[in-house]
Amino acid sequence: ARALASRGETPDRMEDQPIEFFHRVRQGFMELSRENPDRIRVIDASQDRDVIESQIWKHCRSRFHEFLR
């Protein structure tokens, strides 16, 4: 809903899926993150946009420090 409101468009094929689909997808990603904590980080996207961005960069720098200076 947030993405559609910002673009003012109709839902695409993915956006038109029932909420249960997204719950299953999230469950799958959460399982992957538990199995691969060094590779997959979970970030709370309900936070302020600047906080989210800061956390993403923090994790990217710690993982890819040799590429990101």
Side-chain angles (χ1 to χ4, degrees), residues 6-25:
S6 70
R7 294 192 321 257
E9 298 176 3
T10 58
D12 65 18
R13 185 174 58 91
M14 288 296 293
E15 294 164 336
D16 207 25
Q17 294 296 316
I19 193 69
E20 293 80 16
F21 168 80
F22 296 102
H23 288 296
R24 288 191 311 271
V25 170

Side-chain angles (χ1 to χ4, degrees), residues 15-56:
E15 294 164 336
D16 207 25
Q17 294 296 316
I19 193 69
E20 293 80 16
F21 168 80
F22 296 102
H23 288 296
R24 288 191 311 271
V25 170
R26 182 181 188 280
Q27 189 174 18
F29 276 111
M30 295 303 285
E31 185 175 326
L32 286 172
S33 72
R34 284 189 296 276
E35 294 170 357
N36 302 281
D38 294 335
R39 292 185 55 228
I40 301 171
R41 304 287 179 144
V42 176
I43 296 175
D44 180 358
S46 69
Q47 302 175 92
D48 181 72
R49 182 179 278 180
D50 291 334
V51 173
I52 296 167
E53 180 183 4
S54 175
Q55 289 182 1
I56 291 170

